[in-house]
C-alpha cells in the first residue's frame, strides 16, 4: 500500500511540476484604457477625435501566449463604448468579447468595465477596436502575442518588428457621418484619407512632416505586422522594390510564401518578413483601395509610409534624402491579384479539419433596398430610386436589441429579446450571382440566432449575392478561428465544388474575404459556449444588418460552460 501511495504522490508531483512549468511564464498583464476626446490634427484640420489614453492609434499591447489580460476601460467620452479583442478566442469568457448589445451592454459615458481574459494557444498579430457605432474609426490598436518564454517563431528571428496599422480617416466626426446616413437611408460619405500608423503620408495636404518612417538596415530581415483597421475598405499593400514573405495571418502561422502585394479586408492581419536587400535608399510602402463593388463611390486616395535604410536616413544624409521610390499598386478592381493572393494561404502543416459534419449551413450575404416607409419624407429615402439601403444574411437583416445584451438574455432566460429561428439555408433559392428579381431586394428585419450544440462540427458555405451589387465581404466570426477549405466564383455547387475542398492544410483565419460574386466554405468545431456574432467587417454593412449570431450551448461540466458574468458588467 505504501509503495502505491508513494507512486501516487510521485505522479501527483510530476503533474504539478508539469502544470507549473506550463504556467510559470504566464503573466497577468494589467492596463488602463481611458476613452476620451483628444485634439487630433490631420489634413490641415483639428478634430476632437475619440481616442484611448490620448493616443491615435491607441496603445500596442504586447503579451505572450498563455498570458491573461486585464484591461480597465474608463469612458470619459460622450458616446457609449465597448472594446472588442479581435480574433481572441475568449474560451468561456464571452462577457469580455465586446460587441455592443451582443455580449454586453455598452459602457455609458462616465462608466467603466474591466475586460478579463486569457489568450491561450494563439501567437502572432491580432488587434483591438471599439465595437460601438463607428468609434473604431479612431479607437483601435495592435495586440501582439509572442511565443511563450523558451519558445521561438517557426521562422528566423527578425532583427526588428513593426506594427503597420492601415486606417481610414474622415475629415469630419465619423459618428456624425454614420448618423447622417441612417437618417437619409443613403450610403455614408466615403473617407477622405487612408493612414499608416495614424498618418496619411506624403500624398495628402499638410501631412508630409508626420509621415510614418519604418527603419531597416542592409542585410536585416524584419517582421511587419500588417493590420487592416480601416472601417469600410479592403486594401492593397505594397513596398516599392521589396518582396514580402507571408509567415502568419490572424494569429495563425502559415506556410511561408513570397509575394509583392498583400490584400487585407478590414479585420484581417498578415505577418510578413521583409529583407533589407535593396540599394540603401528610401522606399514608399503604400496602401490603396481594392474596390470590388461596381459603380459604388469609394475613397481612391493612397496612403504612404517610408521604408528607410539607416544609411539613407535624414541623419546620415543631412536631410538631402532622395524622394522615395513609389510602388506600382494593382488597379482598384484587380480581383485576379486578390484571388491569387488568397489562394496562396496554407497552414504550416497538416491540420485536423472537422469532418462528419453535424451542421451543414448555407448563408447568403449581400445588400438590399427597403421601400420608403409611408410615414417617411423623401429626404429620409435617398437610396437608389427613393429607397433606403439595407443588408442581410439569408434574407434576415440583423437588428440589435436595446435593453439587454443577447448573452445576458440567454444566460438569464429573459424572453422576447431574440428568437432562435435564424434560417440555416436561404428561405428561397435563386440565382445568387445572376440577375436577381427586385422582389428579393427587401429582407426581413429580425434578431434571430442559430443554436449550436456544444462540440458540433459546423460547415458554412458563405455565398455573395448580386443584389444591388456584388462585393468582396470580409466576414468575421467572434469567439472562433475556422479553416477556409475552399473559395470560388459564381454560385456554390456541391456536386462540382466539394472536389476543391482542401482538407489537408487549409489556412486558419478569424475573418474570411468572401470573393465578389463568389463563395467561401469554412469549418469549425463549436467548442466555445456563448453568443457569438458573425458579421461583415465593413462597418457600413453591419449598421445595415449584415450580421447574425450563433448561440453555442454549454456542454458538460465546468470546462464546457461559460463563466458567470463579472460583477462590473455594464447594465443597459
Amino acid at each position: 500500500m505504501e509503495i502505491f501511495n508513494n507512486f501516487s504522490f510521485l505522479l501527483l508531483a510530476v503533474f504539478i511540476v508539469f502544470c507549473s512549468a506550463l504556467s510559470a511564464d504566464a503573466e497577468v498583464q494589467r492596463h488602463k484604457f481611458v476613452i476620451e476626446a483628444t485634439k487630433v490634427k490631420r489634413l490641415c484640420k483639428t478634430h476632437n477625435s475619440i481616442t484611448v489614453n490620448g493616443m491615435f492609434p491607441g496603445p500596442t499591447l504586447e503579451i505572450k501566449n498563455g498570458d491573461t489580460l486585464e484591461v480597465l476601460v474608463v469612458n470619459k467620452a460622450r458616446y457609449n463604448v465597448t472594446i472588442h479583442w479581435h480574433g481572441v478566442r475568449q474560451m468561456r469568457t464571452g462577457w469580455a468579447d465586446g460587441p455592443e448589445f451582443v455580449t454586453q451592454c455598452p459602457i455609458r459615458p462616465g462608466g467603466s468595465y474591466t475586460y478579463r481574459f486569457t489568450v491561450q494557444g494563439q501567437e502572432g498579430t491580432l488587434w483591438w477596436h471599439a465595437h460601438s457605432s463607428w468609434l473604431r474609426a479612431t479607437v483601435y490598436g495592435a495586440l501582439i502575442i509572442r511565443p511563450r518564454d523558451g519558445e521561438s517563431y517557426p521562422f528566423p528571428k527578425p532583427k526588428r518588428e513593426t506594427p503597420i496599422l492601415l486606417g481610414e480617416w474622415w475629415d469630419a466626426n465619423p459618428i456624425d457621418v454614420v448618423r447622417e446616413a441612417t437618417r437619409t437611408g443613403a450610403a455614408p460619405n466615403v473617407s477622405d484619407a487612408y493612414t499608416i500608423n495614424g498618418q496619411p503620408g506624403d500624398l495628402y495636404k499638410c501631412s508630409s512632416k508626420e509621415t510614418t518612417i519604418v527603419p531597416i538596415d542592409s542585410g536585416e530581415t524584419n517582421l511587419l505586422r500588417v493590420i487592416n483597421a480601416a472601417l469600410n475598405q479592403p486594401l492593397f499593400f505594397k513596398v516599392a522594390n521589396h518582396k514580402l514573405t507571408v509567415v502568419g495571418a490572424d494569429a495563425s502561422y502559415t506556410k511561408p510564401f513570397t509575394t509583392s502585394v498583400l490584400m487585407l479586408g478590414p479585420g484581417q492581419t498578415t505577418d510578413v518578413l521583409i529583407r533589407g536587400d535593396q540599394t540603401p535608399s528610401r522606399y514608399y510602402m503604400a496602401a490603396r483601395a481594392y474596390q470590388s463593388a461596381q459603380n459604388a463611390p469609394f475613397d481612391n486616395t493612397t496612403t504612404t509610409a517610408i521604408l528607410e535604410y539607416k544609411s539613407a536616413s535624414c541623419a546620415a544624409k543631412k536631410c538631402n534624402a532622395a524622394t522615395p521610390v513609389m510602388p506600382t499598386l494593382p488597379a482598384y478592381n484587380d480581383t485576379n491579384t486578390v484571388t491569387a493572393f488568397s489562394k496562396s494561404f496554407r497552414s504550416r502543416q497538416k491540420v485536423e479539419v472537422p469532418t462528419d459534419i453535424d451542421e451543414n449551413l448555407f448563408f447568403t450575404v449581400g445588400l438590399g433596398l427597403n421601400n420608403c416607409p409611408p410615414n417617411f419624407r423623401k429626404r429620409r429615402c435617398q437610396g437608389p430610386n427613393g429607397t433606403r439601403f439595407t443588408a442581410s444574411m439569408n434574407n434576415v437583416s440583423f437588428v440589435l436589441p436595446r435593453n439587454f445584451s443577447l448573452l445576458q438574455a440567454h444566460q438569464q432566460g429573459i424572453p422576447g429579446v431574440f428568437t432562435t429561428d435564424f434560417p440555416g439555408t436561404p428561405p428561397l433559392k435563386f440565382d445568387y450571382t445572376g440577375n436577381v428579381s427586385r422582389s428579393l431586394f427587401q429582407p426581413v428585419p429580425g434578431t434571430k440566432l442559430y443554436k449550436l450544440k456544444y462540440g458540433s462540427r459546423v460547415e458554412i458555405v458563405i455565398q455573395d449575392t448580386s443584389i444591388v451589387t456584388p462585393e468582396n465581404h470580409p466576414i468575421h466570426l467572434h469567439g472562433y478561428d475556422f479553416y477556409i477549405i475552399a473559395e470560388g466564383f459564381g454560385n456554390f455547387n456541391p456536386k462540382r465544388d466539394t472536389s476543391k475542398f482542401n482538407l489537408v492544410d487549409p489556412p486558419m483565419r478569424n475573418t474570411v474575404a468572401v470573393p465578389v460574386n463568389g463563395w467561401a466554405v469554412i469549418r469549425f468545431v463549436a467548442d466555445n459556449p456563448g453568443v457569438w456574432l458573425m458579421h461583415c467587417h465593413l462597418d457600413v454593412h453591419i449598421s445595415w444588418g449584415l450580421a447574425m449570431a450563433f448561440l453555442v450551448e454549454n456542454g458538460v461540466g465546468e470546462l464546457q460552460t461559460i463563466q458567470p458574468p463579472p460583477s462590473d458588467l455594464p447594465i443597459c
Side-chain angles (χ1 to χ4, degrees):
M1 189 68 187
E2 195 176 323
I3 292 170
F4 179 74
N5 282 343
N6 286 346
F7 181 67
S8 300
F9 180 75
L10 192 66
L11 269 182
L12 183 65
V14 167
F15 179 71
I16 289 168
V17 167
F18 175 73
C19 288
S20 59
L22 270 183
S23 60
D25 62 338
E27 297 172 17
V28 177
Q29 304 244 19
R30 294 182 176 88
H31 298 272
K32 184 177 182 181
F33 279 12
V34 178
I35 314 288
E36 58 193 348
T38 305
K39 289 196 175 346
V40 178
K41 188 175 185 181
R42 295 292 183 275
L43 310 180
C44 320
K45 201 165 161 191
T46 302
H47 291 275
N48 263 335
S49 299
I50 306 302
T51 65
V52 169
N53 300 348
M55 298 166 66
F56 170 65
T60 294
L61 302 185
E62 302 190 37
I63 64 171
K64 295 190 299 289
N65 183 357
D67 283 357
T68 295
L69 265 173
E70 285 189 8
V71 184
L72 168 63
V73 176
V74 178
N75 187 3
K76 291 189 174 175
R78 59 192 174 110
Y79 304 110
N80 292 338
V81 74
T82 65
I83 301 291
H84 170 51
W85 313 91
H86 185 111
V88 173
R89 285 289 323 262
Q90 297 289 4
M91 296 300 287
R92 302 176 51 241
T93 51
W95 305 104
D97 187 44
E100 174 179 74
F101 296 114
V102 178
T103 59
Q104 66 166 98
C105 295
I107 306 166
R108 305 288 183 190
S112 66
Y113 178 47
T114 301
Y115 292 89
R116 297 179 185 83
F117 55 92
T118 300
V119 176
Q120 199 69 265
Q122 295 182 283
E123 288 176 18
T125 306
L126 294 174
W127 62 301
W128 55 266
H129 61 79
H131 213 298
S132 181
S133 184
W134 273 21
L135 284 182
R136 81 169 180 87
T138 53
V139 177
Y140 63 87
L143 171 56
I144 294 168
I145 310 160
R146 304 192 190 285
R148 300 173 194 276
D149 287 344
E151 295 182 8
S152 58
Y153 299 132
F155 47 81
K157 188 173 178 1
K159 183 82 186 338
R160 69 180 92 218
E161 303 182 9
T162 310
I164 302 288
L165 289 120
L166 308 177
E168 204 168 0
W169 179 263
W170 274 261
D171 202 10
N173 178 349
I175 304 295
D176 292 344
V177 174
V178 68
R179 284 180 177 171
E180 173 67 5
T182 305
R183 203 163 37 244
T184 65
N189 288 347
V190 299
S191 54
D192 297 286
Y194 300 110
T195 57
I196 296 177
N197 294 351
Q199 294 296 340
D202 291 356
L203 306 183
Y204 298 90
K205 60 186 180 183
C206 307
S207 299
S208 53
K209 281 199 179 78
E210 309 294 336
T211 298
T212 297
I213 304 281
V214 177
I216 195 167
D217 214 357
S218 293
E220 279 182 0
T221 298
N222 294 344
L223 180 66
L224 304 180
R225 300 175 176 273
V226 187
I227 300 165
N228 186 349
L231 212 69
N232 293 320
Q233 192 65 56
L235 294 167
F236 288 117
F237 174 84
K238 205 168 177 183
V239 182
N241 294 12
H242 289 71
K243 290 264 195 276
L244 304 170
T245 301
V246 176
V247 291
D250 292 2
S252 290
Y253 294 120
T254 63
K255 223 170 235 142
F257 69 93
T258 301
T259 177
S260 61
V261 63
L262 311 180
M263 196 292 286
L264 295 90
Q268 294 186 315
T269 74
T270 308
D271 289 352
V272 297
L273 295 174
I274 184 168
R275 269 186 69 76
D277 57 6
Q278 297 298 303
T279 307
S281 187
R282 304 165 87 227
Y283 299 86
Y284 276 129
M285 44 179 68
R288 77 171 188 185
Y290 164 49
Q291 178 66 9
S292 58
Q294 290 181 329
N295 305 321
F298 69 100
D299 176 351
N300 64 359
T301 62
T302 303
T303 179
T304 56
I306 298 170
L307 181 75
E308 186 174 78
Y309 281 73
K310 269 192 198 154
S311 53
S313 70
C314 246
K317 293 274 187 183
K318 304 286 184 286
C319 265
N320 293 331
T323 303
V325 183
M326 188 72 184
T328 307
L329 284 148
Y332 297 115
N333 62 351
D334 188 350
T335 293
N336 289 345
T337 291
V338 172
T339 306
F341 176 67
S342 67
K343 286 192 168 175
S344 301
F345 283 87
R346 295 270 185 280
S347 283
R348 273 190 75 82
Q349 56 260 323
K350 190 176 188 306
V351 289
E352 280 188 40
V353 183
T355 52
D356 304 324
I357 299 301
D358 302 303
E359 296 276 2
N360 270 297
L361 305 177
F362 189 114
F363 291 176
T364 58
V365 296
L367 305 185
L369 297 172
N370 280 331
N371 296 330
C372 197
N375 58 331
F376 275 33
R377 294 190 174 168
K378 269 189 180 163
R379 64 169 180 264
R380 296 212 55 198
C381 299
Q382 293 182 34
N385 304 317
T387 57
R388 290 177 60 86
F389 272 108
T390 182
S392 67
M393 295 175 77
N394 275 357
N395 204 46
V396 179
S397 188
F398 194 69
V399 180
L400 285 168
R402 276 280 166 258
N403 299 322
F404 301 97
S405 75
L406 294 171
L407 186 55
Q408 183 189 4
H410 164 58
Q411 191 81 350
Q412 296 174 6
I414 300 165
V417 178
F418 64 85
T419 57
T420 53
D421 56 347
F422 183 86
T425 53
L428 189 73
K429 290 185 174 38
F430 57 97
D431 179 5
Y432 307 114
T433 53
N435 278 330
V436 182
S437 157
R438 268 306 303 260
S439 63
L440 298 176
F441 275 42
Q442 188 154 320
V444 180
T447 310
K448 296 174 185 284
L449 277 55
Y450 191 92
K451 210 180 256 192
L452 292 173
K453 279 203 160 39
Y454 183 91
S456 55
R457 294 170 295 255
V458 184
E459 175 181 297
I460 312 175
V461 176
I462 309 171
Q463 172 74 59
D464 186 29
T465 75
S466 55
I467 296 176
V468 184
T469 177
E471 189 165 358
N472 182 296
H473 294 278
I475 301 294
H476 172 49
L477 174 58
H478 288 231
Y480 286 89
D481 286 322
F482 47 74
Y483 291 113
I484 305 174
I485 60 170
E487 58 174 60
F489 291 99
N491 299 338
F492 177 77
N493 178 341
K495 289 193 180 75
R496 179 193 66 215
D497 294 327
T498 43
S499 63
K500 299 175 186 161
F501 285 6
N502 174 3
L503 302 177
V504 179
D505 60 353
M508 184 183 260
R509 304 294 298 251
N510 61 54
T511 305
V512 55
V514 178
V516 54
N517 241 327
W519 50 268
V521 184
I522 66 170
R523 284 186 183 178
F524 64 95
V525 177
D527 60 358
N528 191 11
V531 175
W532 303 107
L533 192 64
M534 184 177 188
H535 64 90
C536 180
H537 219 281
L538 307 177
D539 276 30
V540 56
H541 292 178
I542 312 179
S543 47
W544 288 342
L546 212 169
M548 59 80 64
F550 287 107
L551 195 169
V552 181
E553 296 175 320
N554 287 328
V556 179
E558 189 187 357
L559 294 180
Q560 296 182 6
T561 301
I562 188 166
Q563 292 175 4
S567 57
D568 63 338
L569 186 75
I571 51 174
C572 283

